[in-house]
Amino acid sequence: MTPTVPAYALAVLRAYLLGVGIVAAQVGERVFGEDLPREEADAMPRAAVVVKSAGGSGLEDGSFADLTRYAVDVWSYGATPTGAHTVRRAAFGALKALDRAVVALGDGSSVLLHSATRTVGPRVILDPETKWPAVIESFDLLASDVEITAA
């Protein structure tokens, strides 16, 4: 069985994207982990981002450091294909700029995200469930395995 990205890693990536102004300007609070919620799908088409496990653990570097590479897909939605590309450009810009960011989670802990490297994409599709335009890009996310807890 192929390993998947742990839920906390998707939560950290979601929190990072929500905290980047260019993404928030496009989607507001509509950044989700793993699936587009049913109530969002019913309100589509509109701008949203969904971060999903890409079904693997990313590229391995053979290191013993407390770091893991996660393979993730970023689905960018829009009311039109052009709108989906606008959201994609914002998400891609945020991930391309990611360089050792400490991301706070709602439980008082934080995780250090080191980088995100695009591995595949962009790919334009109609989401098979919602039938709305989406653009998918795959990334190799490098994150610390050690959570930073509040003192």
Side-chain angles (χ1 to χ4, degrees):
M1 180 172 182
T2 304
T4 59
V5 176
Y8 90 88
L10 293 177
V12 172
L13 183 55
R14 178 182 176 272
Y16 171 75
L17 289 171
L18 281 168
V20 176
I22 59 172
V23 176
Q26 292 297 319
V27 301
E29 295 289 315
R30 292 183 306 277
V31 178
F32 306 100
E34 208 56 68
D35 293 305
L36 189 64
R38 178 82 258 153
E39 59 274 10
E40 279 299 314
D42 292 344
M44 296 294 267
R46 61 183 180 174
V49 172
V50 178
V51 294
K52 300 181 178 199
S53 171
S57 58
L59 303 173
E60 296 300 326
D61 62 5
S63 170
F64 291 103
D66 289 329
L67 301 170
T68 299
R69 292 185 183 276
Y70 299 105
V72 297
D73 287 334
V74 177
W75 291 54
S76 300
Y77 290 90
T80 64
T82 300
H85 270 290
T86 300
V87 172
R88 182 212 64 85
R89 283 191 299 276
F92 174 73
L95 292 170
K96 184 177 178 182
L98 174 57
D99 183 25
R100 295 184 50 83
V102 175
V103 179
L105 298 174
D107 64 0
S109 66
S110 299
V111 174
L112 177 62
L113 291 181
H114 289 270
S115 63
T117 305
R118 183 173 61 189
T119 56
V120 178
R123 303 176 307 275
V124 180
I125 69 160
L126 280 180
D127 183 305
E129 292 181 26
T130 64
K131 305 298 185 216
W132 299 116
V135 181
I136 306 169
E137 286 184 291
S138 298
F139 290 85
D140 189 42
L141 178 69
L142 181 61
S144 174
D145 292 333
V146 180
E147 289 186 28
I148 304 165
T149 56

